[in-house]
Amino acid sequence: MSFFSKLIPPSRKGHKNFERGRAAELRADYSKAEAYFTTAAEAFDAHLTLLETEGEEARPSHLVMAGICYTRTGRFEDALRVLDACIERKKIPDAFLNAGYAAAKLGLADRTVAYWQAYPDWAGQRVIANTLTDLVKAIRKQENPDLQGACEAVALAVAKQDKTNQRDRRFRDRGHKHSEFRQGY
């Protein structure tokens, strides 16, 4: 650890490692992605603790990034806590998606349905939205829904949506504006 690394605020370290983790996911380098998300989660832990001691609120963008990192590293209770705080303050699509995923991993079918049903249409993420709609219908029909299978379906939908967004981004970069990508944070 260098002298200058101590000067970097934890929110910045969390944000940069979150971005690196998402980039590694896009490359399908999941071991590196997990390492980046773990580092980001630790940085967001420090950031949120610091804000709490100072009596300040975290930005919704930091809350959703922290929630995604917690979800990716298996800290589902922590993910729900910060994503609920985020959703209370701002309707960010990834907050609903990942809160539903964390709730499903914890076996909370009713909360999973509530989060995924609230996923906003304006996000423009058709692959994810269609998958969530189908999963909500399936979960409601079953007495004992397969929530782990639902999580796998969401993970596949996110990967497919990422590929679609990459293709659309290249299309826009050539000067065309027929497609818009909204991350929400």
Side-chain angles (χ1 to χ4, degrees):
M1 183 184 249
S2 74
F3 167 77
F4 292 111
S5 66
K6 294 177 185 173
L7 301 176
I8 299 171
S11 61
R12 178 79 173 140
K13 185 176 182 179
H15 185 120
K16 290 307 283 182
N17 280 288
F18 169 79
E19 288 177 344
R20 290 175 181 135
R22 285 293 294 139
E25 277 185 338
L26 291 172
R27 294 188 311 268
D29 189 352
Y30 298 112
S31 60
K32 269 193 178 176
E34 185 177 356
Y36 287 130
F37 286 131
T38 300
T39 302
E42 292 167 358
F44 281 122
D45 284 341
H47 175 62
L48 296 174
T49 301
L50 180 65
L51 290 178
E52 188 177 310
T53 58
E54 294 175 353
E56 296 180 24
E57 288 187 344
R59 294 175 25 197
S61 61
H62 288 164
L63 291 173
V64 76
M65 284 186 264
I68 292 169
C69 292
Y70 295 154
T71 301
R72 297 294 201 280
T73 57
R75 295 174 52 187
F76 303 118
E77 293 89 0
D78 292 334
L80 283 177
R81 180 179 46 82
V82 297
L83 291 170
D84 280 339
C86 175
I87 290 169
E88 230 176 74
R89 295 178 47 213
K90 188 173 180 182
K91 307 297 184 224
I92 297 176
D94 280 349
F96 292 101
L97 174 69
N98 287 281
Y101 185 92
K105 283 292 193 179
L106 293 171
L108 307 171
D110 292 337
R111 284 183 76 180
T112 300
V113 167
Y115 290 123
W116 286 347
Q117 188 174 9
Y119 185 81
D121 287 335
W122 57 259
Q125 305 296 297
R126 287 294 110 214
V127 174
I128 291 172
N130 292 339
T131 300
L132 294 181
T133 300
D134 294 343
L135 288 172
V136 165
K137 288 177 188 175
I139 291 170
R140 284 188 171 158
K141 285 181 184 177
Q142 300 170 359
E143 188 174 314
N144 293 319
D146 179 15
L147 296 177
Q148 301 314 309
C151 288
E152 290 173 20
V154 167
L156 291 173
V158 168
K160 188 173 180 182
Q161 186 69 61
D162 284 345
K163 295 296 180 195
T164 301
N165 291 344
Q166 281 182 317
R167 184 194 69 230
D168 289 351
R169 202 171 290 123
R170 282 192 299 270
F171 180 73
R172 278 195 319 279
D173 288 346
R174 290 187 299 220
H176 301 283
K177 304 224 185 227
H178 299 292
S179 177
E180 185 175 331
F181 173 67
R182 296 188 191 117
Q183 206 172 18
Y185 53 92

